[in-house]
Amino acid sequence: MIEEGSKSSKATVEKRQLFMEMRAQNFDVIRLSTYRTACKLRFVQKRCNLHLVDVWNMIEAFRDNGLSTLDHNAEINVSRLETILSSIFYQLNKRLPTTHQINVEQSIGLLLNFMVATYDSEGHGKLTVFSMKSMLSTMCGGKIVDKLRYIFSQISDSSGTMVFAKFDQFLREVLKLPTAVFEGPSFGYTEHSVRTCFPQQKILLNTFLDVMMADPPPQCLVWLPLMHRLANVENVFHPVECSYCRSESMMGFRYRCQQCHGYQLCQNCFWRGHASGPHSNQHQMKEHSSWKSPAKKLSHAISKSLGCVPIGEPPHPVFPEAAERPQDLAHPTQLKPVSNNMNDTILMSSGAPTSTKSSTLESPSRLDEEHRLIARYAARLAAEASNSTQCPPTDLSFNFDANKQQRQLIAELENKNREILQEIQRLRLEHEQASQPTPEKAQQNPTLLAELRLLRHRKDELEKRMSALQESRRELMVQLEGLMRLLKDEEQKAAQTGGSPHSSPSHSASCTMPMPIRSTSAGSTPTHTPQDCLAGVGDDVLDAFSQGVPRNLRNDLLVAADSITNTMSSLVKELHSVDDGLEDEEVNMRNGRDKVSAPRHYGNRHSTPSF
């Protein structure tokens, strides 16, 4: 009694082990139910080592265990299910290298408990054949197109048309997987699921694949292709910084905002709904499963523009609509159909890999399959031989000419492809050189250098003129200050004598004007009169000193100073406009012609002396 109790408690612990480990991963913090479901099922797949079993190996295990001949509604007990799982994982260990062996007993126990908890919730101890096939073919490894082909072979009739009742049964079974990982409210089965997936009346293989692999896929099965994408991007590296967690690199998916420029999130931040700055969770995000460098993006864009890359590729290859038919081995040269059923053996013969073990190669069904392939190949050779003997000599010459034309066309296409690749390489080098500007690039264009030299010469002339005008202004200011001092002296004398400053015009007229300070060359004797000193000054100053009548000389001097200030302001504005035009032209040439370096700026060219 004690031993039976310990065994039952051990079985209970093993049954809960997988779910306890899944809860420890804290997948429930993922905001979107689709990603949450896909992550949970991917965890179950990897924990049970189902990702190491290819879909073709799974189909081979079904056939070797006699499941291909059983009806879909037939039931198998848990002990036989354990035997089937044992054969699957032991064959897997034979294919794996010795350094990558798995724990077979642990994998069998975890997967068996998960399948029983998923498909035998009432505790009958039995599962249907279709439930086991649907679950294992969905959760195993391999390409999604191969899985969907096998599923279609199980839900279609002899003519290759899908049976809606069988597809409805498949949805009931496969949607128990999200329910098992506590995502039933998001992806549970409903009665309208079939018609929402396929509103058409007749569904063939290619139509089935188009719908199931569309973007987006049917809502009830949207987690299935996402689980495969998760498996493909687990080891993808993105050398980009996350805009939220500031991680310098990303693994897995990368998400770029379509509204915020340069805003990118890693998959953990996006799944948890993190956002920062102006970005919001309501913004549309684009999912990236790979990283392309700027050089690769440029080459891909050039190749796409030149027509070297197909614009739209189909999501899956186009398969023949009619079901494949095995051949009769009694008459290898005659193509006689034996059966119209598209069973597991036919699928294995059409696309299964050849790397299998000797134990499976010795099975009778596998030998029959090889005989069918040999018979088909012999019939094809016989048909080609009969066609070649019936062709007249003219046909042979025509075929020879056609082959010659084809070879010439192939050679022309190869040359064209070679030229296109050379052009792509040249454009790539030009782009790299343009992205790394050097000062020597300015010396490659003599026209640009000549224009820049002329502009700089004009700028130097204007700056010299500005310096001369400032010097003249300084000298005029010195003269005005001397005159102001003379006026103050006259006012003081007039105040002392009791007369007005303008009472003696002869005295005011006899006042000497200060001479301007100018450098003269050797041998020249400068002679300046008061009128010569005021040459180039405004009319108000000239009138103030040329008239003999008494005037308010202080006001005249202030008016003259304002006139000089206005003249200098207009000259400064002219110099500024010339400098701005020079800078704009240099900026345009720098942006349009190999980024020529801008001329130097002078620090005090905008400074204006104040009174």
Side-chain angles (χ1 to χ4, degrees):
M1 295 294 293
I2 298 175
E3 293 180 358
E4 293 179 358
S6 61
K7 289 182 179 180
S8 62
S9 61
K10 183 179 180 181
T12 304
V13 170
E14 291 178 353
K15 182 179 294 184
R16 296 178 179 178
Q17 179 181 356
L18 184 63
F19 295 99
M20 292 173 62
E21 293 179 358
M22 184 179 65
R23 288 183 181 276
Q25 298 295 321
N26 200 17
F27 291 120
D28 292 329
V29 299
I30 300 177
R31 181 170 56 97
L32 301 175
S33 60
T34 304
Y35 289 95
R36 190 167 59 244
T37 305
C39 288
K40 289 181 179 180
L41 293 177
R42 175 62 178 169
F43 172 78
V44 173
Q45 183 190 43
K46 294 180 66 176
R47 189 65 182 87
C48 297
N49 291 316
L50 279 175
H51 66 294
L52 302 175
V53 183
D54 192 80
V55 61
W56 299 111
N57 300 123
M58 192 66 71
I59 298 171
E60 186 178 2
F62 294 161
R63 189 191 62 232
D64 292 342
N65 287 276
L67 299 179
S68 301
T69 58
L70 295 178
D71 186 76
H72 284 173
N73 296 323
E75 295 182 345
I76 57 175
N77 54 23
V78 176
S79 60
R80 186 175 181 184
L81 176 61
E82 186 176 2
T83 303
I84 296 171
L85 297 181
S86 300
S87 65
I88 292 172
F89 286 112
Y90 278 113
Q91 290 296 329
L92 172 64
N93 251 358
K94 291 181 181 179
R95 293 189 297 269
L96 293 176
T98 55
T99 56
H100 293 76
Q101 297 289 310
I102 64 171
N103 189 342
V104 175
E105 299 297 332
Q106 185 182 13
S107 301
I108 294 172
L110 291 175
L111 183 57
L112 181 64
N113 292 326
F114 179 75
M115 293 182 67
V116 170
T118 303
Y119 294 100
D120 188 26
S121 58
E122 297 180 358
H124 297 299
K126 293 182 180 180
L127 279 74
T128 62
V129 173
F130 191 68
S131 299
M132 188 188 63
K133 284 186 175 182
S134 301
M135 186 271 173
L136 293 177
S137 61
T138 303
M139 294 294 292
C140 67
K143 298 180 179 180
I144 186 173
V145 62
D146 296 333
K147 293 183 180 181
L148 294 175
R149 285 180 63 197
Y150 173 73
I151 291 170
F152 185 81
S153 68
Q154 301 298 307
I155 61 175
S156 59
D157 56 11
S158 59
S159 62
T161 305
M162 188 185 77
V163 180
F164 281 90
K166 292 184 178 180
F167 179 70
D168 182 75
Q169 185 182 2
F170 167 73
L171 285 182
R172 291 175 183 270
E173 301 299 336
V174 77
L175 291 180
K176 291 180 181 178
L177 293 173
T179 305
V181 293
F182 315 105
E183 297 295 334
S186 301
F187 300 103
Y189 171 80
T190 60
E191 297 179 356
H192 305 287
S193 299
V194 178
R195 287 304 174 185
T196 55
C197 296
F198 298 103
Q200 304 92 336
Q201 295 297 327
K202 184 178 181 180
I203 305 299
L204 301 178
L205 174 59
N206 291 313
T207 308
F208 179 78
L209 295 178
D210 290 338
V211 174
M212 301 299 289
M213 299 182 67
D215 188 15
Q219 182 61 32
C220 60
L221 295 174
V222 68
W223 50 270
L224 180 58
L226 179 58
M227 186 176 67
H228 285 78
R229 295 204 306 271
L230 280 174
N232 294 331
V233 302
E234 283 182 348
N235 298 320
V236 175
F237 176 77
H238 305 270
V240 183
E241 181 183 6
C242 179
S243 300
Y244 182 83
C245 65
R246 299 302 177 184
S247 176
E248 296 181 356
S249 60
M250 303 181 189
M251 294 293 292
F253 287 119
R254 173 171 56 92
Y255 297 89
R256 177 187 291 271
C257 182
Q258 301 299 296
Q259 298 182 24
C260 304
H261 177 70
Y263 194 88
Q264 301 187 84
L265 292 176
C266 61
Q267 65 178 17
N268 291 331
C269 294
F270 175 74
W271 289 353
R272 286 157 177 78
H274 295 323
S276 60
H279 178 70
S280 172
N281 290 330
Q282 305 300 324
H283 291 181
Q284 184 179 3
M285 304 289 287
K286 185 176 181 181
E287 183 181 276
H288 295 273
S289 58
S290 62
W291 164 257
K292 290 183 180 179
S293 62
K296 288 185 179 180
K297 290 181 180 179
L298 176 64
S299 62
H300 181 76
I302 295 174
S303 303
K304 189 175 181 179
S305 62
L306 296 176
C308 300
V309 178
I311 297 176
E313 296 182 357
H316 63 85
V318 179
F319 298 98
E321 299 292 353
E324 295 188 24
R325 300 176 179 178
Q327 310 301 328
D328 186 6
L329 296 178
H331 303 282
T333 58
Q334 297 178 0
L335 301 180
K336 179 181 178 181
V338 175
S339 174
N340 293 332
N341 294 327
M342 186 178 181
N343 52 18
D344 301 340
T345 305
I346 299 172
L347 254 175
M348 283 297 299
S349 64
S350 62
T354 57
S355 61
T356 54
K357 293 299 178 179
S358 59
S359 60
T360 59
L361 290 174
E362 295 174 357
S363 61
S365 58
R366 187 56 184 259
L367 294 176
D368 294 342
E369 175 189 343
E370 292 179 355
H371 286 304
R372 292 191 191 97
L373 293 175
I374 295 171
R376 189 182 306 171
Y377 184 66
R380 186 181 301 173
L381 291 178
E384 292 178 356
S386 62
N387 292 332
S388 62
T389 55
Q390 294 175 2
C391 292
T394 56
D395 294 339
L396 293 177
S397 61
F398 176 76
N399 292 334
F400 179 75
D401 295 337
N403 293 333
K404 185 177 180 181
Q405 293 177 358
Q406 291 177 358
R407 287 195 297 271
Q408 292 177 355
L409 180 60
I410 291 173
E412 292 177 359
L413 292 175
E414 289 179 350
N415 293 331
K416 186 67 175 177
N417 187 28
R418 195 177 299 109
E419 293 176 359
I420 291 173
L421 292 177
Q422 292 176 358
E423 183 69 15
I424 292 173
Q425 185 68 21
R426 185 183 65 81
L427 293 174
R428 185 181 299 169
L429 292 175
E430 290 181 359
H431 175 72
E432 292 177 355
Q433 292 175 1
S435 61
Q436 299 177 358
T438 55
E440 290 79 6
K441 288 185 179 180
Q443 302 177 3
Q444 298 176 3
N445 197 335
T447 305
L448 291 176
L449 291 175
E451 293 178 359
L452 280 176
R453 198 175 294 110
L454 290 174
L455 291 173
R456 289 175 178 172
H457 182 67
R458 175 63 176 165
K459 180 184 177 185
D460 294 338
E461 290 179 354
L462 292 174
E463 289 181 350
K464 290 178 181 179
R465 183 181 174 187
M466 179 68 183
S467 300
L469 292 173
Q470 289 179 353
E471 184 65 25
S472 300
R473 183 182 180 187
R474 186 183 65 80
E475 293 176 357
L476 290 173
M477 292 297 298
V478 171
Q479 295 178 15
L480 291 175
E481 289 177 359
L483 291 173
M484 293 296 293
R485 285 195 297 271
L486 290 175
L487 287 174
K488 290 180 179 179
D489 294 339
E490 291 297 328
E491 289 178 354
Q492 291 177 359
K493 291 177 181 180
Q496 292 175 0
T497 58
S500 62
H502 299 288
S503 60
S504 57
S506 61
H507 181 72
S508 62
S510 64
C511 295
T512 59
M513 293 286 294
M515 300 301 292
I517 303 172
R518 294 181 181 272
S519 62
T520 57
S521 60
S524 63
T525 303
T527 59
H528 299 284
T529 62
Q531 286 78 12
D532 296 334
C533 296
L534 296 174
V537 188
D539 295 334
D540 296 331
V541 179
L542 291 175
D543 294 339
F545 290 97
S546 62
Q547 296 179 1
V549 296
R551 298 182 58 185
N552 190 351
L553 192 56
R554 178 179 296 178
N555 294 334
D556 293 337
L557 290 174
L558 293 176
V559 171
D562 292 337
S563 176
I564 294 172
T565 302
N566 294 332
T567 305
M568 292 301 295
S569 299
S570 62
L571 289 175
V572 170
K573 290 180 181 179
E574 180 183 358
L575 182 60
H576 287 180
S577 63
V578 173
D579 289 341
D580 293 338
L582 178 61
E583 291 179 358
D584 293 339
E585 189 166 356
E586 287 177 351
V587 170
N588 293 332
M589 288 193 303
R590 184 165 62 248
N591 293 334
R593 301 179 180 179
D594 293 338
K595 299 181 180 179
V596 179
S597 59
R600 57 189 178 87
H601 297 284
Y602 296 86
N604 298 325
R605 62 181 180 185
H606 299 301
S607 61
T608 304
S610 60
F611 287 98

